[in-house]
Amino acid sequence: MEVTIGFALLGVLLVIGLPVAIALAIAGGVGLYMLGGPQLFTGILTTTPLSAVNSYEFVMIPMFILMANFIVVSGVSEDMFQIARKWTGRTPGGLAHATALTGAAFGAISGSSTASAATLASTTIPGMIKQGYNPGFASGVVAISGTLAMLIPPSGAMIIYALLADMSVAHLLIAGVVPGLLVTVTIMLTIFAWVYLRPGDAPVAQSYSWSEKIRSLGGAWSFLLLFAAVTVVIYTGIGTPTEASAIGALIAFLLALSRRTPLRSFVRAGLSTLEASCMIAMIFLGAQVFVYFLTMTQVTQSLVSWLIASEIPNIVILIAILLIYLVLGCFMDLIAMLILTVPIVSPLVTQLGYDPVWFAVITIVMGEIGVLTPPLGINVFVISKYTKMPVNVVFRGSYPHVLAHLILVAVLVAFPALVLWLPSTMN
């Protein structure tokens, strides 16, 4: 009875528009009060605020957000787009391919999908539309390319998943590399298919000589430096992910400083980091209260026992879980999805015999689809805001990429080694 009331209350609070953090705290608090009275309720609430964020690994979240914001104000993303543009200029849909490659590169040095989408929207869409690209096609490419920051390390979503599921942050971050490359290839193949079917939506861009292409690579040093400072450091074990996040933020700050970035941009980056970090900390606090409630009701253990006793094939359960993520993605952002589901789903899939690292990556890819699907589609609204483009135009441009991503999810489910091979080579 308590579990039903707790989940029903949470659903009602979310539907009426209450912030996720507050909704989780209220629903969890009410549930705890019903289970143990005021003594249990006050005891947990007095210890939760500190325990929710009092971990060494949590430092990664504000550090990677700060790194992303310094990258945005420094203009490194513009350099990456110019390099990709020169190398893909004569390719059908060349600027769209350049956008996908820039999204992958930006994702490799930034853990924020929203920052990636906003940066790509401001740096690539105007150029594509000026060249005669269909606005829906251009915006759809940017919307999906921005999601690569969720998957390619340093991914904020991966870090949050690892903290929620008590997994190795380093292994989970590195597990996103190969799937991230596959997502990039999937985006580019989707662009090829669109241009083949509707060539008028993507005119051929300017071509560049080999000497111009080679010279453009001189601007890649900042990206390579940041990539080495984060992903290479984590993979080789030279430093912990937390140490890598601090190094990355410092290097991004020095890069922004070397480019004579105005002081007001640094202030804006700091305030944006503070707002995002506090929001995530509040969500963790609310989630901790709700997780305590779930733990005391033993709902996870009961669900696992029931599913195993039911003898439903494991693959059917897995598909059902993925479909639930697909539906949830239509109504909430990825962080809220993870916080609501990981404490329940992660033990379940492990008990069913699936690798938790592999499933985490699959979940993040499903989250990429969620930020493109109506009615929420947070990346779609970010792009609409920055470009003043109607939301329905961006949604229409995103549909082909949603279908392509669902096919990729099927491939990753069929071949788990695509996810697990690289982290298995770590020390």
Side-chain angles (χ1 to χ4, degrees):
M1 176 62 73
E2 291 86 357
V3 175
T4 303
I5 295 174
F7 275 102
L9 178 60
L10 177 62
V12 170
L13 294 176
L14 291 175
V15 167
I16 65 176
L18 207 64
V20 174
I22 298 175
L24 285 166
I26 292 176
V30 170
L32 289 170
Y33 190 89
M34 289 189 297
L35 286 172
Q39 187 173 359
L40 176 65
F41 174 76
T42 55
I44 288 180
L45 287 189
T46 54
T47 59
T48 295
L50 179 61
S51 64
V53 295
N54 187 29
S55 69
Y56 179 65
E57 290 80 7
F58 189 85
V59 177
M60 285 181 284
I61 295 175
M63 285 294 99
F64 280 135
I65 294 173
L66 185 62
M67 176 180 164
N69 285 324
F70 282 149
I71 291 167
V72 170
V73 301
S74 70
V76 171
S77 56
E78 177 65 29
D79 292 347
M80 294 187 292
F81 178 67
Q82 293 303 325
I83 294 170
R85 182 170 65 90
K86 290 179 179 179
W87 281 87
T88 61
R90 294 296 296 177
T91 308
L95 289 181
H97 291 298
T99 299
L101 292 172
T102 305
F106 192 84
I109 55 177
S110 163
S112 171
S113 171
T114 304
S116 181
T119 303
L120 291 174
S122 59
T123 58
T124 66
I125 288 181
M128 283 194 279
I129 293 178
K130 185 178 179 180
Q131 289 285 339
Y133 278 64
N134 176 280
F137 171 69
S139 60
V141 171
V142 171
I144 190 64
S145 298
T147 65
L148 285 163
M150 293 183 182
L151 196 56
I152 299 176
S155 163
M158 291 285 201
I159 294 169
I160 290 171
Y161 192 108
L163 293 178
L164 290 170
D166 196 22
M167 296 167 57
S168 166
V169 176
H171 280 76
L172 190 51
L173 286 174
I174 297 303
V177 173
V178 173
L181 295 175
L182 291 175
V183 168
T184 306
V185 171
T186 301
I187 295 171
M188 297 178 76
L189 289 175
T190 306
I191 293 170
F192 272 122
W194 187 316
V195 174
Y196 177 78
L197 296 172
R198 303 177 65 176
D201 286 353
V204 176
Q206 179 183 351
S207 63
Y208 296 88
S209 65
W210 277 102
S211 61
E212 289 177 303
K213 292 178 180 179
I214 298 299
R215 282 199 304 271
S216 71
L217 295 176
W221 69 271
S222 54
F223 159 73
L224 295 174
L225 178 62
L226 285 164
F227 180 78
V230 178
T231 304
V232 174
V233 166
I234 294 173
Y235 177 74
T236 57
I238 294 173
T240 65
T242 304
E243 292 164 345
S245 69
I247 295 170
L250 175 61
I251 293 176
F253 169 75
L254 295 176
L255 281 173
L257 203 62
S258 69
R259 291 168 177 248
R260 302 181 183 277
T261 303
L263 178 60
R264 63 178 178 275
S265 297
F266 283 108
V267 173
R268 188 169 66 249
L271 289 175
S272 178
T273 301
L274 183 62
E275 291 172 359
S277 301
C278 288
M279 178 197 72
I280 293 173
M282 286 297 295
I283 292 175
F284 263 86
L285 191 157
Q288 195 88 329
V289 175
F290 197 74
V291 168
Y292 275 129
F293 165 60
L294 292 180
T295 301
M296 297 198 68
T297 59
Q298 295 188 326
V299 64
T300 304
Q301 297 90 321
S302 300
L303 179 62
V304 170
S305 300
W306 178 81
L307 286 172
I308 291 175
S310 68
E311 298 184 355
I312 299 173
N314 290 357
I315 189 63
V316 174
I317 298 173
L318 177 65
I319 293 172
I321 293 172
L322 295 180
L323 288 175
I324 290 171
Y325 274 115
L326 186 62
V327 173
L328 289 177
C330 297
F331 301 100
M332 60 181 65
D333 61 44
L334 179 60
I335 293 177
M337 254 197 320
L338 294 180
I339 286 175
L340 285 175
T341 60
V342 168
I344 297 174
V345 173
S346 182
L348 170 60
V349 295
T350 302
Q351 190 72 25
L352 293 174
Y354 293 111
D355 189 283
V357 172
W358 167 80
F359 180 76
V361 171
I362 299 293
T363 301
I364 301 300
V365 177
M366 293 300 295
E368 289 185 350
I369 298 172
V371 298
L372 299 178
T373 50
L376 185 60
I378 187 168
N379 272 24
V380 171
F381 283 95
V382 167
I383 290 166
S384 176
K385 173 187 173 183
Y386 275 83
T387 62
K388 310 301 182 186
M389 197 178 295
V391 172
N392 63 313
V393 172
V394 186
F395 273 126
R396 282 201 302 268
S398 304
Y399 288 149
H401 298 287
V402 170
L403 296 176
H405 263 55
L406 290 173
I407 295 172
L408 177 60
V409 168
V411 172
L412 294 176
V413 169
F415 303 100
L418 292 171
V419 175
L420 299 175
W421 167 72
L422 190 58
S424 71
T425 63
M426 297 174 66
N427 294 329

